[in-house]
Amino acid sequence: MKIGLNATCLNDRPSGAKQRFVGIYSNLIKNLADAEFVVYEPADCRVGAWFDGAPNVTVRRTPLPSEGRARKLFTGLRYWDTALSREGYDIFEGLNLPLVKTPTGRTLLTVHDIRGMYSESGVLERSIYKLALGRSIARADHVITVSETMKQEILGFFPRASISVIYNGIDATKFVTVIEADLQAVRRKYALPENFVLAVGHLEQRKNYLCLIDALAILRDQGQSCSLLIVGNDSGERQVIEERIESAKLTCTVKFLNNLSDHEVRCVYKLCSLFIFPSSYEGFGIPILEAMAAERPMVLSDLPVFREITQNKGVYFPHDDVEAMAVAIETVLSSGSERARLIDYGKERVQAFNFQNLAGQLGNVYKTLVP
């Protein structure tokens, strides 16, 4: 079997898509040792190096940038037809829009979320995205998505799509290797308080940090002040968030960190008293898995996908109800039994997201499509 992977959308910036790609496909490449994999990498990142010289992997360096939709589109028009015409793939999987279709074999499309369909985008952006997504799904022989929630969401717009669900995953063993000396070094380096609430995610509107700040203000006014650490790169919302922090008089309570190493992020999880995920929209929610692996209690916005990941066994709040968010934070912070329940459940549940198992599921999809 010859398998092509269009990874030109990936780069060294931390992302759920990158974590999924490295975790699942490195295992899949080992599982399908008799298959030939060809990885197409962007001009600005050595994606092929992530597979440590696996003997059944060939890397094709492309002229496509990992970012910049217009440039990527026009460069691709000149590149893909020639590049794919001589390969003869059995499977060609695209990880981004618009989908590139192979002239031979089956073409797969991986969809992480469809947030471009919703109101946070402008009218023009939504129209362009819907057109690109619809055309890509129509051209794909099969779609892979990351949750049952996302599958139903996609089918709501495109009911004829053929879709399989392969969850995102995590290597939980990396959290086990974190030692106390590492934790204290990170606490000193970033001047972290003894107790703090942790939120992880790039600073963008859908992460709902403004409501989180308002919830902290409610707790402060009730005499239950708690520190907050937000880990994530600025995606356009930091100034707005900082203005809300200043107006709520929480400047000394909220701290931002970015560009942490993967090891430092794991340490931060293990140091926190509580993890909170207040998003208004997600296709999955990898930070939930990270909090489980770090054995931390969590409170989550009441999204269907979050209930799916946690099997309705978490503590939830409506994402737009700041009072309910404040109550959820206070409840878990003040209840030792509830914290223990959430930690014990997470330790068990995270095992379902093992990369080796997920790679096996994806391999079965490939074998179904190419008997």
Side-chain angles (χ1 to χ4, degrees), residues 137-260:
I137 288 177
R139 298 181 73 203
D141 295 297
H142 196 66
V143 174
I144 304 291
T145 195
V146 297
S147 64
E148 290 291 342
T149 300
M150 275 308 311
K151 177 178 178 178
Q152 296 307 314
E153 201 172 321
I154 294 168
L155 288 173
F157 289 100
F158 309 103
R160 295 185 178 182
S162 171
I163 305 176
S164 293
V165 173
I166 308 291
Y167 280 145
N168 288 321
I170 190 170
D171 182 356
T173 63
K174 292 183 178 180
F175 286 81
V176 176
T177 60
V178 176
I179 62 175
E180 183 63 25
D182 298 331
L183 299 179
Q184 296 312 315
V186 168
R187 189 187 296 278
R188 288 192 299 271
K189 179 178 179 179
Y190 295 109
L192 300 179
E194 189 66 27
N195 297 293
F196 62 90
V197 173
L198 173 66
V200 176
H202 298 314
L203 309 186
E204 53 187 295
Q205 187 176 340
R206 69 188 175 99
K207 298 301 182 181
N208 201 31
Y209 290 134
L210 297 182
C211 284
L212 177 55
I213 300 305
D214 291 345
L216 292 182
I218 289 174
L219 290 171
R220 187 268 320 280
D221 293 343
Q222 295 173 346
Q224 303 172 44
S225 180
C226 58
S227 297
L228 171 66
L229 173 63
I230 299 175
V231 176
N233 296 326
D234 185 13
S235 293
E237 285 289 301
R238 177 156 180 166
Q239 182 177 343
V240 175
I241 297 168
E242 289 180 333
E243 289 171 356
R244 182 66 62 89
I245 292 169
E246 185 176 356
S247 66
K249 297 182 172 57
L250 290 171
T251 305
C252 297
T253 303
V254 183
K255 188 182 189 74
F256 295 93
L257 290 178
N258 58 19
N259 296 321
L260 273 65

Side-chain angles (χ1 to χ4, degrees), residues 21 31 64 99 118 277 294 303 311 328 355:
F21 182 74
N31 293 349
L64 282 72
L99 179 68
Y118 300 110
F277 208 167
L303 302 182
Q311 301 175 306
F355 279 129

Side-chain angles (χ1 to χ4, degrees), residues 294-309:
E295 301 182 9
R296 294 292 82 203
M298 67 185 84
V299 293
L300 309 170
S301 56
D302 196 1
L303 302 182
V305 69
F306 289 177
R307 285 188 174 270
E308 178 184 343
I309 295 169

Side-chain angles (χ1 to χ4, degrees), residues 47 62 106 118 120 145 150 185 236 243 306 311 337 354 369:
V47 170
T62 76
R106 300 298 187 94
Y118 300 110
E120 188 173 316
T145 195
M150 275 308 311
E243 289 171 356
F306 289 177
Q311 301 175 306
S337 60
N354 178 278
L369 294 172

